Amino acid sequence: MKQLSTKVTSNGHGQDSSYFLGWEEYEKNPYDEIKNPDGMIQMGLAENQLCFDLIESWLAKNPDAASLKRNGQSIFKELALFQDYHGMPEFKKAMAEFMEEIRGNRVTFDPKNIVLAAGSTSANETLMFCLAEPGDAFLLPTPYYPGFDRDLKWRTGAEIVPIHCSSSNGFQITESALQQAYQQAHKLDLKVKGVLVTNPSNPLGTALTRRELNLLVDFITSKNIHLISDEIYSGTMFGFEQFISVMDVLKDKKLENTEVSKRVHVVYSLSKDLGLPGFRVGAIYSNDDMIVSAATKMSSFGLVSSQTQYLLSALLSDKKFTSQYLEENQKRLKSRQKRLVSGLESAGITCLRSNAGLFCWVDMRHLLDTNTFEAELDLWKKIVYNVKLNISPGSSCHCTEPGWFRVCFANMSEGTLDLALKRLKTFVESTDCGRMISRSSHERLKSLRKKTVSNWVFRVSWSDRVPDER
Amino acid sequence: MSLDKNLLSKLAVGDKHGEDSPYFDGWKAYDNNPFHPEHNPQGVIQMGLAENQLCSDLIKDWIKANPHASICTAEGIDGFSDIAVFQDYHGLKQFRQAIAAFMERARGGRVRFEEERVVMSGGATGANETLMFCLADRGDAFLVPTPYYAAFDRDLSWRTGVRIIPVECNSSNNFQVTKQALESAYLNAQETGIKIKGLILANPSNPLGTSLGRETLQTLMDFINDKQIHLVCDEIYAATVFAEPGFISVAEMIQEMDHVNRDLIHIVYSLSKDMGLPGFRVGVVYSYNDAVVTCARRMSSFGLVSSQTQSFLAAMLSDQSFVDNFLKEVSKRVAKRHLIFTEGLKEMGVSCLRSNAGLFVLMDLRQMLRDQTFESEMALWRIIIDKVKINISPGSSFHCSEPGWFRVCFANMDEDTLQTALQRMKSFVLRHRENKKKRKSFQENLKLSFSSKMYDEHVRSPRLLSPHSPLVRT
């Protein structure tokens, strides 16, 4: 094996993690309403399958885009040959405007500062190659998307140092946690090059508060490091609050066109908001020319297929479609999330209150035998193998507290979601905790609701006391 | 104001991407003043881009006749949602099967490719980089015969930190790679403590336009097997072979030479050249080593093929009669273009390296150099770009060890444009010959009488008095 690189022989790809093992179990026995009703239901996949009908009906009304034509003339040859790594100008313009629309047109994105990539997977890795040497570190708040271990570290040699967040304040980022992480990196002799956050967060399903965003911008300003804001779920915000982007904060702090703004970068993708992960559309947005230039050259390793660029530039340029889509998408996500949350509640399970994303961060601490990760893994195995639900254990997201699970709700039909909830309820009722519930369900639910309300109250009071800005 | 460079990685601020090379100046000249038969007939003709524009009509016709192949048309829309969510890095099974079948047919059905070994990548660019990540660590090296594709410097080395050790080939034997050259390069590397992990080359070759003969392939396979190092064969021009000895893939050689360790053999493929679809970003890593297949597949997350494209190609490449006809036509049309161009050059006394494949020829302009140096090569190249207005690629950008060779592409334009290019070349070559004669005779006459000739030469060739006239310098 010494003939191969260490990347082959090590497990830096991270795919031995439970996050991926659950997927593998699902592949062996996938649920199908008719063909395999007892199969495993996939709740570990953050996909948005709620709005295909809107895209399909747009395609039916726009045959030119659908069949690679422009004004009735085939442009197949032009598309077949188009491999300019600057990307299609009309596509980047449409992407920029779509990103602006999601942010209420409060901020502007210059298409020239957009670099296309093969999904946000590639965008994140490319940014690491541009900002960090092997051995440099980026700080990430926990819990975080398990794929980051691969995307940020594997081939780049960069390191991740966690910013520990806890349920005591709804997993929000605090100043002391940031400083602690920074010190920890120094103890490990790692040079910190920046902070990377996902906003809205995966796996929490919450958008960062203005307080947290201000904290982050102040922090990277004082430490002279970068801030990467992975905003791929920005279009899934369904709470009553509006999405606050790091670009909003730069504007509000009057930091646009300053040196600090050149250290703030946004990653975007159409995989979550539009539900098109198969099309591999990612983007880096940076205010720094050198980074745009270097990342553009690196995009050669993962350009977006020209036929996909063409199709989507037509789709996203249709403003009537995009505004209708964003509104409807949010509505459907909200309704789905409510269905999951109330279904879980009836099983005596609460979630972190969420306002975005395609999943909930579910609190199953009360179902653990002991407050340990071993117990979490045991519970997870029962849920995967006995209840036949693939959900993601918090440990795979580097959560510091055992008992939290990410459960997705937007990648299945309503009927399937109801069935999953039914199975879970049955399982919970069969455990000791469940028996407690059935014995004094009223008491239990009351105390659970109180717990939920307390979390809410705590989060609101922690913020700027202006509910809109949550 | 820009960021402090210390805040960025060395990769970001350095120039190891290779794009500051003069190779790209030609492109810039073209971008600033592109030829168009009606709108800009005096513009620069692009002959530096190895694109295959000869068979797009065949694909267009197929698309028209097969609307179900697109997930966006009324006939194909039922597949839209399944394809739109499909991001499994194994790729669509039908796509892998179709690619394997296409690769087999491009090799005359003489080999079998297993679809489980077909791994996607972001074009051959992504495939080559991925293989380096899998086969070598930072600081390790790969042998590459010269001249080689200019962007290998970026694709193989830039982000991987893998070194390229050139294996010099020269025109005395038509740039064929020899056992001696390989052994010598290997030994030198060893002596300086460099760890060679393998050998990588393109077959058919870019920029030579030649495919490897059986004997050379045997030599290569024996060499890597003896050293137990990897062999990566970039076969992206496989279907462009139009003459003897035909295309012999390393996949065929494996069948014949079963003493060779298969774990060392890897193929890179793409649809960018054979099918003329560079925009669709379809690259393939095909390895006979299971661990490499697994790792490359995980890495393909960084450059998967759009599922929309996978689905379309799965349908088109499963159409056997389309594929067979297409492959036949590619070879025929490339042969025709090659003939027109090489005959055209021959008429003006310009020869090329004898070739049987590729979308270009390696033109021999050594006679036109002032002296056999790379400075002269660059000077000649600048004239060709600035005055003749043709963008061609100087041999130095391909790390050629001998000055005077230029790669010229012929398949990325229509026939009329090719003829225009030939006309311009002809005028230039004839003028150059004229001037050379005049200079020679001037130099001879100079010995007779210096002062009286000053007047005459001013009348005969005023440009001599202008030391800055580029034509004079050559």
Side-chain angles (χ1 to χ4, degrees), chain B residues 96-129:
Chain B
R96 279 181 285 127
Q97 282 169 339
I99 291 281
F102 185 78
M103 287 172 71
E104 285 171 4
R105 293 192 117 70
R107 288 152 186 75
R110 294 183 294 277
V111 290
R112 257 228 76 225
F113 288 106
E114 299 164 58
E115 34 124 327
E116 302 87 42
R117 291 191 180 281
V118 172
V119 172
M120 294 180 287
S121 61
T125 302
N128 281 315
E129 191 196 44

Side-chain angles (χ1 to χ4, degrees), chain B residues 309-369:
Chain B
T309 302
Q310 286 186 55
S311 159
F312 163 70
L313 289 171
M316 190 169 75
L317 301 184
S318 305
D319 184 339
Q320 275 189 27
S321 71
F322 165 81
V323 167
D324 286 341
N325 181 55
F326 184 89
L327 289 171
K328 201 175 80 207
E329 282 299 311
V330 168
S331 175
K332 215 165 89 181
R333 296 181 191 190
V334 169
K336 183 173 175 213
R337 271 302 171 92
H338 176 270
L339 188 67
I340 292 174
F341 193 60
T342 49
E343 289 293 296
L345 289 175
K346 206 161 136 192
E347 271 169 32
M348 55 180 105
V350 173
S351 66
C352 302
L353 183 75
R354 190 154 165 274
S355 62
N356 67 332
L359 307 172
F360 34 74
V361 288
L362 199 64
M363 199 165 60
D364 182 357
L365 296 184
R366 289 176 293 175
Q367 307 284 14
M368 296 181 75
L369 296 186

Side-chain angles (χ1 to χ4, degrees), chain A residues 124-337:
Chain A
N124 281 315
E125 189 196 46
T126 293
L127 265 177
M128 283 299 113
F129 273 124
C130 290
L131 305 179
E133 301 299 337
D136 286 346
F138 259 75
L139 309 180
L140 266 67
T142 65
Y144 62 76
Y145 164 55
F148 278 154
D149 291 321
R150 172 196 62 194
D151 302 348
L152 307 181
K153 299 182 351 176
W154 191 22
R155 305 189 311 178
T156 63
E159 296 291 346
I160 292 176
V161 174
I163 302 166
H164 293 300
C165 301
S166 84
S167 60
S168 60
N169 72 340
F171 295 95
Q172 287 188 56
I173 303 170
T174 63
E175 165 118 43
S176 66
L178 271 170
Q179 295 290 359
Q180 246 182 345
Y182 193 81
Q183 298 310 324
Q184 177 63 7
H186 276 266
K187 273 202 204 111
L188 296 169
D189 214 14
L190 300 171
K191 184 167 181 205
V192 177
K193 291 311 278 287
V195 179
L196 186 148
V197 297
T198 311
N199 177 29
S201 159
N202 174 10
L204 300 178
T206 54
L208 291 179
T209 59
R210 190 175 286 281
R211 183 199 63 81
E212 286 168 287
L213 286 163
N214 282 330
L215 178 64
L216 286 163
V217 172
D218 291 342
F219 183 76
I220 63 124
T221 303
S222 74
K223 301 285 189 226
N224 198 29
I225 57 179
H226 295 272
L227 176 61
I228 298 175
S229 183
D230 182 334
E231 302 189 348
I232 67 173
Y233 290 97
S234 48
T236 67
M237 187 98 177
F238 54 77
F240 63 84
E241 315 87 347
Q242 70 189 357
F243 172 64
I244 310 171
S245 163
V246 70
M247 301 294 273
D248 280 297
V249 169
L250 284 178
K251 184 174 180 191
D252 297 340
K253 278 172 162 297
K254 301 207 181 355
L255 288 171
E256 284 167 320
N257 300 313
T258 63
E259 190 267 346
V260 174
S261 72
K262 291 185 187 294
R263 287 188 270 118
V264 175
H265 323 284
V266 172
V267 165
Y268 190 54
S269 160
L270 299 180
S271 300
K272 310 297 178 181
D273 291 350
L274 281 188
L276 305 172
F279 289 6
R280 315 314 302 145
V281 181
I284 295 169
Y285 188 88
S286 176
N287 293 305
D288 181 67
D289 291 341
M290 273 192 292
I291 291 170
V292 169
S293 170
T296 300
K297 294 179 170 91
M298 288 189 187
S299 69
S300 299
F301 299 108
L303 297 174
V304 178
S305 172
S306 57
Q307 65 173 156
T308 301
Q309 288 191 54
Y310 181 66
L311 173 71
L312 295 176
S313 72
L315 183 79
L316 296 181
S317 302
D318 184 339
K319 303 298 181 219
K320 196 158 155 234
F321 169 79
T322 55
S323 73
Q324 182 213 8
Y325 181 92
L326 287 171
E327 196 188 308
E328 191 59 30
N329 185 40
Q330 285 165 6
K331 228 162 71 185
R332 296 182 190 185
L333 286 171
K334 183 175 192 161
S335 144
R336 233 6 132 72
Q337 184 253 19

Side-chain angles (χ1 to χ4, degrees), chain B residues 180-246:
Chain B
Q180 262 163 303
L182 287 167
E183 293 284 355
S184 152
Y186 187 84
L187 200 61
N188 283 337
Q190 274 205 316
E191 281 169 1
T192 49
I194 296 172
K195 188 163 176 211
I196 301 278
K197 292 309 284 287
L199 166 67
I200 179 169
L201 47 74
N203 175 33
S205 159
N206 174 9
L208 302 177
T210 54
S211 68
L212 294 176
R214 189 161 250 103
E215 243 185 69
T216 310
L217 279 161
Q218 278 166 352
T219 303
L220 295 175
M221 307 255 306
D222 280 330
F223 172 75
I224 58 105
N225 196 48
D226 175 55
K227 309 278 187 273
Q228 282 297 290
I229 60 176
H230 295 279
L231 176 61
V232 178
C233 274
D234 181 333
E235 299 188 346
I236 66 174
Y237 290 97
T240 66
V241 176
F242 57 82
E244 289 304 302

Side-chain angles (χ1 to χ4, degrees), chain A residues 5 15 85 129 133 307-308, chain B residues 9-10 19 89 133 308-309:
Chain A
S5 72
Q15 292 197 208
Y85 60 25
F129 273 124
E133 301 299 337
Q307 65 173 156
T308 301
Chain B
S9 68
K10 294 197 190 83
E19 290 192 30
Y89 63 25
F133 273 126
Q308 173 190 20
T309 302

Side-chain angles (χ1 to χ4, degrees), chain A residues 391-420:
Chain A
I391 63 177
S392 312
S395 49
S396 68
C397 303
H398 302 275
C399 187
T400 47
E401 301 168 26
W404 293 87
F405 291 79
R406 190 192 77 169
V407 181
C408 300
F409 55 72
N411 63 309
M412 66 198 72
S413 70
E414 250 179 35
T416 308
L417 181 61
D418 291 342
L419 175 61

